[in-house]
Amino acid sequence: MRDLPPAAEAALMSRSKPLALFVEMEFPGAPLYLNSSRLQLEWAGKVYRGVGQLGRIAPVKDTPATLPQIEFELSGVAQENLALALNEGSQAHGVLVRILMGIFDPDSYQLADLHQRWLGRLDVFTINGGGRSGAAAIRVTAE
């Protein structure tokens, strides 16, 4: 395991451990950066949109003789925001994906470090229509 900055080490040693997941999807021309908080966060020049309770990452399915697979879901997507997903969906297969753990300072809640937890490529990209609410769900699998 790599060395953590002192602020990240202190955060992990504290009683409360403020953490968030960060996801990077490197779509050609329009990379997508998300985090599991409700806030927009910036790290190393990248701006990560907060998806809060709207997003989900399913547990890793890791079995012998197969690649570990992860499923992402972003629900509550307004119809007017689906254009990007529809345009990028055709280019999704093989796109590089990273999952990172964000470690926050427990006193200031400033982001102290991002630590890569998983690296893979997008496989299947599906959109489920929004029905009466007008919102949709975007589901992606990666391995």
Side-chain angles (χ1 to χ4, degrees), residues 6-19 103-112:
E9 282 185 28
L12 291 175
M13 298 300 287
S14 71
R15 187 175 202 161
S16 68
K17 295 174 180 57
L19 304 170
I103 304 167
F104 295 84
D105 180 289
D107 298 319
S108 68
Y109 286 94
Q110 293 294 313
L111 188 56

Side-chain angles (χ1 to χ4, degrees), residues 20-27 30-37 41 43 46-51 55-58 70-74 95-102 111 114-122 140-142:
L21 288 176
F22 288 69
V23 177
E24 298 178 349
M25 296 183 195
E26 299 292 343
F27 289 106
L32 181 62
Y33 305 119
L34 306 171
N35 79 80
S36 64
S37 80
L41 301 169
W43 183 261
K46 298 175 183 175
V47 177
Y48 296 84
R49 295 181 195 168
V51 295
R56 176 180 76 78
I57 299 176
I70 290 183
E71 183 177 277
F72 306 87
E73 184 174 285
L74 182 61
V95 165
L96 188 66
V97 177
R98 286 180 199 85
I99 297 178
L100 306 110
M101 178 65 67
L111 188 56
L114 280 184
H115 181 73
Q116 184 171 298
R117 303 299 300 156
W118 188 86
L119 176 68
R121 298 211 173 260
L122 291 182
V140 179
T141 58

